[in-house]
Amino acid sequence: MAVTSPPRLSALVRKLQADSKLTNEQSAAILALPAIFREFRAGQEVVREGDRPSQCCLILDGLACRFKIVGDGARQIHSYHIVGDIPDLQSLHLARMDHNLACLRSTQVAFITHTALRELIKVHPNVGQKLWRETLIDASIFREWMSNIGRRPAITRIAHVLCELLVRYRAMGLAQDMVIPQPITQTELGDAQGLSTVHVNRSMQELKDEGLAVLSGRNIKILDYERLAEIGDFDPAYLHLCEMPDMIEARAYTDRCN
Amino acid sequence: MAVTSPPRLSALVRKLQADSKLTNEQSAAILALPAIFREFRAGQEVVREGDRPSQCCLILDGLACRFKIVGDGARQIHSYHIVGDIPDLQSLHLARMDHNLACLRSTQVAFITHTALRELIKVHPNVGQKLWRETLIDASIFREWMSNIGRRPAITRIAHVLCELLVRYRAMGLAQDMVIPQPITQTELGDAQGLSTVHVNRSMQELKDEGLAVLSGRNIKILDYERLAEIGDFDPAYLHLCEMPDMIEARAYTDRCN
DNA sequence: CGCCGGTTTGAAGAATTTCAAAGGGAGTGG
DNA sequence: CCACTCCCTTTGAAATTCTTCAAACCGGCG
């Protein structure tokens, strides 16, 4: 179950070049990180609230989320994590997990020890800055979701999160066909945006009736990104995607740029 | 209006010792940071969405908040910032502001240039790690607020945020008398927790009727922290306060510790 | 075929917002 | 020192959004 280092960490290299290129040495150092690869089934938890991890996990394929269970048992999803993300990077500096990390679909991850990451950062401070930057983008997404949940109506929230997912996948070179490449259930959308499953369903139907987004098999297909972004009050600036390697297409979804 | 460097940056030193002590050299380097001091009136904005700051701002006194205005004009407050906070630290790695920073009360700040901070981090990588850690704690608070807004009823949200403010002030050695030392209006509480002013008012009345918290002049006084934390579903673990210099008292509000 | 996870539907109920107006306290200017 | 103003709190009542409950539906899969 635990193999060492095929050239699979390239997803991380790609992600970290969002703002500016890495040098060859930096890329090489990342690709050479010692990693343990593992596959999780849908529903499995990777790290739990209260844990004190000694490693971070890089998503190679699939879909994960961070979440908390509140007093009455309800789940709040804080973020979705796709290929290239390191959802528990914060554990490098915050000893104790204050939330959970679980896989929503069947998911492949690479575990990299804190020790190895610290060594990488020491030798390549620029990579350290880029990792810091990634955690700041996470925080920016949290803020946007907070605005969503706190101050926007249900239909807007759903449209918004669909836009975000699409743009993030496309920034990683996926979802060319405007289909979000991982299925996301309506319950999961509700737990992310503070809505009941029933109400998500009704919002999705509105989006369908308007010709903005539909279910394509088990996946969500965006039919009219422009109008979806409009009713979703969506401006991708908060994703800080600019200077992506393939900005040619990412730029189409980004009006303002860093 | 712009003076240079009295020994006022000590609030930052105190804040950064949350997890572990700084060395004397590190403290000295922080205290020696070149800073420009300025006072803002209540309501004034410090940085705006779209800005590209070349400096960060340290709160020395008063109260600031980060916020966004959504499509229909409503305001979502993302966080409150008290003495010792650097609310726009993320601007060090994210060029463009994706939200606003404003003062809620009359507030004193110290501006420190990115250049000076980068130099500090280069010379003292440990301080850099501590600054990174601060941004991760911000993110942790965002997650908790997201859970609050998305999945907890109004009364719980209000109780929760009052507990948080009290604990954060006490961790900085303030609010000994269980009074939150800055006034916070019900509109501000509502904008932070996704509620209308009217509903905040009714929730506050419930808290008053239960003998948990009251208005003491313009300020909020916590009467029964234990029960307030209970109905607020509040566990301070997400504040990652442990190993504070004065843990003697902070520990009283922290059941679990890093 | 029958189960399973996810979607869809209808109807009733609850939480929260909105609107509109009154009340209160602290500071300001005459 | 009073009157006035401003900002914030408080109140009542109606409207709305969203949740809950309960059940049916649907497509894929063992």
Side-chain angles (χ1 to χ4, degrees):
Chain A
M1 177 133 305
V3 206
T4 357
S5 216
R8 299 208 253 167
L9 302 185
S10 54
L12 180 55
V13 172
R14 168 157 212 171
K15 189 72 184 294
L16 293 186
Q17 312 219 47
D19 55 329
S20 63
K21 283 267 180 214
L22 292 160
T23 66
N24 289 340
E25 294 78 47
Q26 290 165 353
S27 298
I30 292 170
L31 293 174
L33 280 168
I36 304 242
F37 297 92
R38 190 169 158 198
E39 168 129 13
F40 286 86
R41 292 186 308 280
Q44 273 193 295
E45 298 192 348
V46 182
V47 209
R48 280 207 191 77
E49 195 173 338
D51 286 357
R52 304 160 149 280
S54 60
Q55 54 188 9
C56 292
C57 105
L58 167 66
I59 309 290
L60 300 175
D61 189 32
L63 183 67
C65 77
R66 301 203 251 178
F67 70 98
K68 241 175 209 174
I69 304 293
V70 302
D72 69 352
R75 172 175 71 164
Q76 176 65 45
I77 292 179
H78 300 131
S79 53
Y80 297 122
H81 290 283
I82 69 172
V83 201
D85 289 351
I86 306 182
D88 57 351
L89 189 48
Q90 95 279 333
S91 67
L92 206 54
H93 295 298
L94 297 179
R96 188 175 174 285
M97 286 294 290
D98 53 58
H99 62 280
N100 310 281
L101 172 60
C103 298
L104 293 175
R105 304 283 89 78
S106 168
T107 298
Q108 290 181 33
V109 310
F111 285 109
I112 306 167
T113 61
H114 286 174
T115 313
L117 283 168
R118 292 211 173 90
E119 184 61 22
L120 173 73
I121 292 170
K122 198 164 147 195
V123 178
H124 300 284
N126 281 342
V127 176
Q129 291 195 9
K130 279 169 178 290
L131 290 173
W132 186 353
R133 186 174 191 273
E134 287 305 312
T135 64
L136 293 171
I137 294 176
D138 278 354
S140 174
I141 299 178
F142 294 152
R143 285 191 295 271
E144 187 68 26
W145 281 33
M146 215 189 295
S147 306
N148 246 0
I149 302 171
R151 287 296 184 222
R152 295 203 259 240
I155 180 88
T156 305
R157 292 185 222 178
I158 299 300
H160 191 286
V161 74
L162 295 184
C163 287
E164 177 186 305
L165 281 164
L166 184 75
V167 169
R168 285 173 60 199
Y169 271 115
R170 287 182 72 98
M172 286 300 286
L174 303 164
Q176 309 297 354
D177 53 357
M178 303 301 273
V179 173
I180 293 171
Q182 289 283 338
I184 303 193
T185 70
Q186 300 185 350
T187 303
E188 286 157 6
L189 285 174
D191 285 351
Q193 296 300 312
L195 296 166
S196 67
T197 307
V198 171
H199 206 64
V200 171
N201 183 272
R202 287 176 176 141
S203 302
M204 291 284 289
Q205 284 179 53
E206 272 194 69
L207 295 179
K208 183 165 88 180
D209 294 346
E210 293 285 328
L212 305 181
V214 283
L215 232 52
S216 157
R218 313 210 334 91
N219 293 55
I220 297 167
K221 183 180 177 79
I222 278 64
L223 300 175
D224 186 339
Y225 172 80
E226 292 300 328
R227 286 211 297 137
L228 192 67
E230 196 174 332
I231 91 149
D233 196 12
F234 178 77
D235 171 353
Y238 73 94
L239 295 172
H240 298 273
L241 280 178
C242 295
E243 281 93 58
M244 281 297 287
D246 48 321
M247 271 320 293
I248 321 92
E249 51 147 3
R251 200 177 296 276
Y253 299 92
T254 312
D255 26 323
R256 287 186 283 185
C257 216
N258 271 344
Chain B
M1 177 134 304
V3 205
T4 358
S5 215
R8 299 208 256 167
L9 302 185
S10 55
L12 180 55
V13 172
R14 168 157 211 169
K15 189 71 183 294
L16 293 185
Q17 312 218 50
D19 55 330
S20 63
K21 284 267 180 213
L22 292 161
T23 66
N24 289 339
E25 295 79 47
Q26 290 165 352
S27 299
I30 292 170
L31 293 173
L33 281 168
I36 304 242
F37 296 92
R38 190 169 156 199
E39 169 129 13
F40 286 86
R41 293 186 308 280
Q44 272 193 297
E45 298 192 349
V46 182
V47 208
R48 280 208 191 78
E49 196 173 338
D51 286 357
R52 303 160 150 280
S54 59
Q55 53 189 8
C56 291
C57 105
L58 166 67
I59 308 290
L60 299 174
D61 189 33
L63 183 67
C65 77
R66 302 203 252 177
F67 70 98
K68 242 174 209 174
I69 303 294
V70 303
D72 69 353
R75 172 175 71 164
Q76 176 66 45
I77 292 179
H78 300 131
S79 53
Y80 297 122
H81 290 283
I82 68 173
V83 201
D85 289 352
I86 307 183
D88 57 351
L89 189 49
Q90 95 279 334
S91 66
L92 206 55
H93 295 297
L94 297 178
R96 188 176 174 284
M97 285 294 288
D98 53 59
H99 61 281
N100 309 282
L101 172 60
C103 298
L104 293 174
R105 305 282 88 79
S106 169
T107 297
Q108 291 181 33
V109 311
F111 285 110
I112 307 167
T113 62
H114 287 173
T115 313
L117 283 169
R118 291 211 174 90
E119 184 61 24
L120 173 73
I121 292 169
K122 197 165 147 193
V123 177
H124 299 285
N126 280 341
V127 176
Q129 291 195 9
K130 278 169 179 290
L131 290 172
W132 186 352
R133 186 175 192 272
E134 287 306 313
T135 64
L136 293 171
I137 294 175
D138 278 355
S140 174
I141 299 178
F142 294 153
R143 285 191 295 271
E144 187 68 26
W145 282 32
M146 214 188 295
S147 305
N148 246 0
I149 301 171
R151 286 296 184 222
R152 295 202 259 240
I155 180 89
T156 304
R157 293 185 222 177
I158 299 300
H160 191 287
V161 74
L162 295 184
C163 287
E164 178 187 305
L165 280 164
L166 184 75
V167 169
R168 285 174 61 199
Y169 271 114
R170 289 184 70 100
M172 286 298 287
L174 303 164
Q176 309 296 356
D177 53 357
M178 303 301 273
V179 173
I180 293 170
Q182 289 282 337
I184 303 191
T185 70
Q186 300 185 351
T187 302
E188 286 156 5
L189 285 174
D191 284 351
Q193 296 300 312
L195 296 166
S196 68
T197 306
V198 170
H199 206 62
V200 171
N201 183 271
R202 288 176 177 142
S203 302
M204 291 284 290
Q205 285 179 52
E206 272 195 69
L207 294 179
K208 183 165 88 179
D209 294 345
E210 293 286 328
L212 305 180
V214 282
L215 234 50
S216 157
R218 312 208 338 87
N219 292 55
I220 296 167
K221 183 181 177 79
I222 278 63
L223 300 175
D224 186 339
Y225 172 80
E226 291 300 329
R227 286 210 299 136
L228 191 67
E230 196 173 333
I231 91 148
D233 196 12
F234 179 77
D235 171 354
Y238 73 95
L239 295 172
H240 298 274
L241 280 178
C242 295
E243 281 92 60
M244 281 298 286
D246 48 320
M247 273 317 295
I248 321 90
E249 51 148 3
R251 200 176 295 274
Y253 298 91
T254 313
D255 27 323
R256 287 186 283 186
C257 215
N258 271 343

